[in-house]
Amino acid sequence: MPKKVPAKKTSSKKEEPTETSKKVSVDLPKDPKKAEKEMRSLEEQVRHHQYLYYVKNSPEISDYDFDQMFKRLQAFEEAFPKLADPASPTLSVGSDLDKDFEKFSHKLPVLSLENTYNEEELMEWVQKTGQDELYSVEWKIDGASIMLYYENGILINGVTRGTGGIGDDVTENIRTIRSIPLRLSETVSIYLRGEVYMTFLEFDEFNEASEGRYANPRNLSSGSLKQKNSSDVAKRPLRIFTYDAFFPGSKAKFKTHQEVMKKAEDLKFPLPPDTKLLKGSEIPAAIKDFKKKKEKVGFPTDGLVIKLNDLSKRESLGYTSHSPRWARAYKFDALMKESKIVGIDYAVGRTGKITPRAQIEPISLAGTTVTFATLHNQDYIDELGVGIGATVRISKRGEIIPAVEEVVTPGKEVFKIPLRCPCCGTKTEKKQDSVDYFCPNTDCPDRVKNGIIFYCSRKQMDIEGLGEKQVEFLYDKKYIKDIADLYSLKSHKEKLMEEEGYGEKSVSIILNGIEESKKKDFRFVLSSLGLREIGPKVAELLTEHGYDTIDSIISAAKSPKKLESVLEIPGIGPSTIEAIQESFTDKRILSLIDRLKKAGLKMKADPIEKSDKQPFAGQTWCVSGSFENFQPRDKAMDLVVYYGGKKVGSISSKTTHLLAGPGAGSKLDKAEELGVQVVSEEEFIKILNQNGIQI
Ligand code: IVH
């Protein structure tokens, strides 16, 4: 761990040369050849000392000497801009220009991990996966997930996880993280996954200097990546650990995760410390060791990640749509504590779902005071046989809300969810095949409020200043009755400022937040409407497959033929089609959309960054069978999309190509029947290579 954050090393800006930088700039050589030689050597030295300092934690020169070297390189770059390395380490000071983030389509699906909360659950998975296998047991770092894309040894893009398919391109911010190499010692192409984090020590220092504004290192890390001004990011003590890597087109075949990570380490990427390669039976003891060490590691962790080491075994286990079957997260805070149920209330969500909550005697659990716990639904209550007065065990699973897990003593009679909505009194309904009760009234105040809260929330339109409390207040005081009303709130500014707790400053934060939401991409607008089945994933699938404007979706909803083509999108099923048809022909929803459109919200998706090369432009590809170089095979389709093509899940007359491998089956028959061009893996790689694309 470095002794302190070398703020001087990085906070100097090009635009404001300090005395020292002015001094070093006077004796620069005039001859460009000489200058170039010295610049290359300075870059190399700066890179080397940054690595020693930020990755190895063992600096060899003083901060002062480093500063001199850094400023001399900056001075050179000012004097000879054409000779500046596009991946120069001086980029780590960031830029003062505000930048909106572009959308970036990930080159590989960025999956998440399935969680396990107790050893039993984890070991069951280990048994299923293979007792004799080796597993990598690593810290689960609690920071912000990031993908780094290097091409020919240069960092080209740093992208947030986003939806897993599309993220925000935060490259300029990423370049300011000094432990991330901007240029590698080899001209390899590599995609890395990692976690941007802060040490507790550096967080505390930074937070103190910021008057304690930040809640914890994780929030500050992820908030930092979304800063619009990269020179601000450069001032924050961000670090990275990388924990997965993929080498597109590399001839070297890696057999294990360990080999892959060794290569990443050789390329000077920081890896999490303490990683162990263990047999399944050794995992329980390792968990105990890691738990003991947790308080001492100095950076935030929220558990462990256990990954199968053998890469071919991984591929044969495969993936679900969200996570690999070859890895599990093991969360530490699966604590349970006893408490007593003192009452019950019900939350009516934006979809009308009624969730019973137990009010409990306050307990402290995993760092926070818990006063309520979910009881999920009537079936769950019946199963537990729980009533008021019961002593129960409560768990708090990581970020998930506290839940009643077990009953110690049952209490009075078992609860029954009321037959009428606890908010508006409408008769509740139970849908077929559902365990939940719903309030069917779309005007139910709790439903409407929760819909607006959802719209404003961080993950959706991210409207600053409008949390649960404020939305409830605005609704209850009749400032707003739906989301479109937010956009006329400014006309009530004066009146709002007279309300208690709504001073000029907080009102202007809210109004500014509302104004800023007009810049949010259509994908967010669409999924924030809170329509049944139309969440972020479906919004992304629709826009990715040509339904990238509200008008195109509305027009599809009206046309059975178009709806059929929507159904062809892999990942969209009949129930989504039904929901699209229902929502986008509903007069109330259409009028709401119309008002949002008039308010200036984006109703067309921002273009996704694509390669300059577009060899697949105008083509529609489908894939079937298995492939040696593309596992999972969607990797091949991701290349098609990145280089200009469209991917579909089934063969139709519109499909132009089928990429077919062994076991292609009925899709191959259909392709042949319709005269669709069938391409083998070898031919596909040839097409890529002919276009200068190395896999
Ligand atoms: S592996 C496909 N390893 O945990 C699996 N993830 O809950 C890739 N994380 O989104 C993830 N430390 O942001 C992996 N050593 C580690 C990790 C790690 C932290 C995060 C990561 C992921 C989340 C899943």
Side-chain angles (χ1 to χ4, degrees), residues 111 113 138-141 145 193 195 243 305 307 324 326:
L111 300 172
L113 290 171
E138 330 176 341
W139 288 117
K140 184 170 186 305
I141 303 115
S145 190
R193 216 176 143 178
E195 201 82 357
Y243 46 70
V305 182
K307 303 171 181 170
W326 44 258

Side-chain angles (χ1 to χ4, degrees), residues 504-613:
E504 191 172 352
K505 198 163 170 210
S506 53
V507 171
S508 78
I509 288 177
I510 293 172
L511 293 179
N512 189 38
I514 293 172
E515 207 50 36
E516 280 290 305
S517 71
K518 293 182 186 170
K519 294 187 192 154
K520 279 286 233 192
D521 184 29
F522 172 62
R523 292 172 184 82
F524 283 98
V525 178
L526 183 57
S527 67
S528 302
L529 297 174
L531 305 175
R532 189 165 66 82
E533 298 250 351
I534 306 182
K537 184 86 205 157
V538 169
E540 188 185 317
L541 287 172
L542 286 171
T543 49
E544 202 182 294
H545 288 83
Y547 295 94
D548 58 352
T549 63
I550 198 75
D551 293 339
S552 65
I553 298 172
I554 294 171
S555 127
K558 286 189 206 140
S559 143
K561 212 165 157 219
K562 283 189 187 157
L563 278 177
E564 242 172 66
S565 83
V566 179
L567 190 56
E568 276 184 18
I569 302 174
I572 292 202
S575 62
T576 311
I577 296 295
E578 195 192 296
I580 291 175
Q581 188 172 31
E582 182 190 288
S583 294
F584 292 99
T585 52
D586 181 320
K587 283 208 181 80
R588 287 164 57 129
I589 294 173
L590 291 178
S591 124
L592 179 78
I593 290 172
D594 206 45
R595 287 164 61 214
L596 291 173
K597 205 188 236 179
K598 288 196 177 116
L601 279 135
K602 286 195 181 175
M603 292 293 165
K604 178 171 177 25
D606 292 340
I608 295 168
E609 190 170 315
K610 285 199 172 189
S611 165
D612 293 343
K613 292 179 199 152

Side-chain angles (χ1 to χ4, degrees), residues 104-111 144-150 155-162 164-171 174 180 190-196 225 240-246:
F104 185 97
S105 182
H106 283 295
K107 300 186 183 193
L108 301 170
V110 186
L111 300 172
S145 190
I146 195 81
M147 279 297 304
L148 304 177
Y149 294 99
Y150 288 79
L155 175 70
I156 304 294
N157 297 100
V159 186
T160 63
R161 180 169 184 273
I166 293 170
D168 280 325
D169 188 330
V170 291
T171 312
I174 287 299
I180 298 182
I190 172 170
Y191 309 157
L192 286 120
R193 216 176 143 178
E195 201 82 357
V196 171
L225 292 186
I240 193 167
F241 280 132
T242 53
Y243 46 70
D244 200 5
F246 176 74

